[in-house]
Amino acid sequence: MTREEKSQVIEDLTVELANNANIYLADISGLNAVTTSNLRRACFKADVKLAVVKNTLLEKAMEASERDFGDLPSVLKGNTSVMYSETGNVPAKLIKTFRKKSDKPLLKGAFIEESVYIGDDQLDMLVDIKSKEELIGEIVGLLQSPAKNVISALKSGGGTIAGLIKTLSERSE
């Protein structure tokens, strides 16, 4: 690979790192062709972009990036694949599901919404991370709950203020 080609790869990786808020580093070495193909297919279906990278080039791209990747470059040893996703927990769920049939991919580390996670032992925690959409849905549900209680109390209280107060006080006990 020429110096110009390396520079282009580093530039492309830097752009990818800047454009993705959720970045997973995994080890998929040792997978046979069929298993690798199945992993790539699963990534495609889950809208996860998977790319095998050279550690030194990825490390230079991380250095060139405006983001603080913390200790994440320290996991760049051996074979490394990068997984990019719009949703923070999708690659973790994909890895966990895939590992029911195989011992790989192994999670080396992840950069999720400005937070750095190191090691395969972080996988379960990453699976449990809620996406922005899930959090917004929960907040909307919580905000709607008091209004629904009042409306339900109005209906069951017979439409009178005394009935409403009685129904609400019974529910709070």
Side-chain angles (χ1 to χ4, degrees), residues 3-173:
R3 183 174 293 184
E4 292 79 23
E5 291 171 332
K6 286 181 182 177
S7 294
Q8 185 60 48
V9 169
I10 292 169
E11 186 177 318
D12 293 344
L13 281 171
T14 305
V15 169
E16 285 289 342
L17 294 175
N19 291 337
N20 290 283
N22 304 301
I23 303 160
Y24 282 69
L25 302 179
D27 177 5
I28 64 170
S29 65
L31 295 180
N32 63 31
V34 172
T35 310
T36 302
S37 178
N38 290 340
L39 176 62
R40 289 188 178 279
R41 190 174 298 112
C43 286
F44 179 78
K45 287 179 182 176
D47 200 25
V48 173
K49 183 177 178 185
L50 176 68
V52 177
V53 295
K54 189 167 181 165
N55 291 332
T56 54
L57 301 180
L58 180 58
E59 187 171 5
K60 288 181 181 181
M62 287 178 166
E63 290 170 4
S65 172
E66 295 178 8
R67 291 188 169 164
D68 179 15
F69 289 100
D71 291 335
L72 202 55
S74 69
V75 302
L76 296 175
K77 294 172 180 73
N79 294 324
T80 303
S81 297
V82 183
M83 301 170 97
Y84 304 104
S85 175
E86 290 290 320
T87 308
N89 64 357
V90 171
K93 288 178 179 179
L94 189 134
I95 289 170
K96 190 165 183 149
T97 302
F98 205 80
R99 290 221 320 235
K100 290 177 182 175
K101 298 176 186 172
S102 174
D103 61 338
K104 299 266 176 121
L106 291 175
L107 178 67
K108 290 179 158 191
F111 179 82
I112 312 296
E113 303 285 340
E114 307 296 324
S115 296
V116 176
Y117 302 87
I118 305 289
D120 195 58
D121 59 329
Q122 302 291 314
L123 186 62
D124 287 331
M125 185 173 58
L126 291 170
V127 166
D128 293 336
I129 288 179
K130 295 192 183 297
S131 68
K132 289 179 185 176
E133 292 78 17
E134 290 170 324
L135 286 174
I136 290 170
E138 283 184 12
I139 291 169
V140 168
L142 289 172
L143 292 174
Q144 288 178 344
S145 181
K148 287 180 182 176
N149 287 342
V150 170
I151 291 169
S152 138
L154 279 171
K155 288 179 180 175
S156 68
T160 64
I161 292 187
L164 169 66
I165 293 171
K166 181 181 176 199
T167 303
L168 287 174
S169 67
E170 287 171 358
R171 287 190 182 177
S172 65
E173 294 172 358

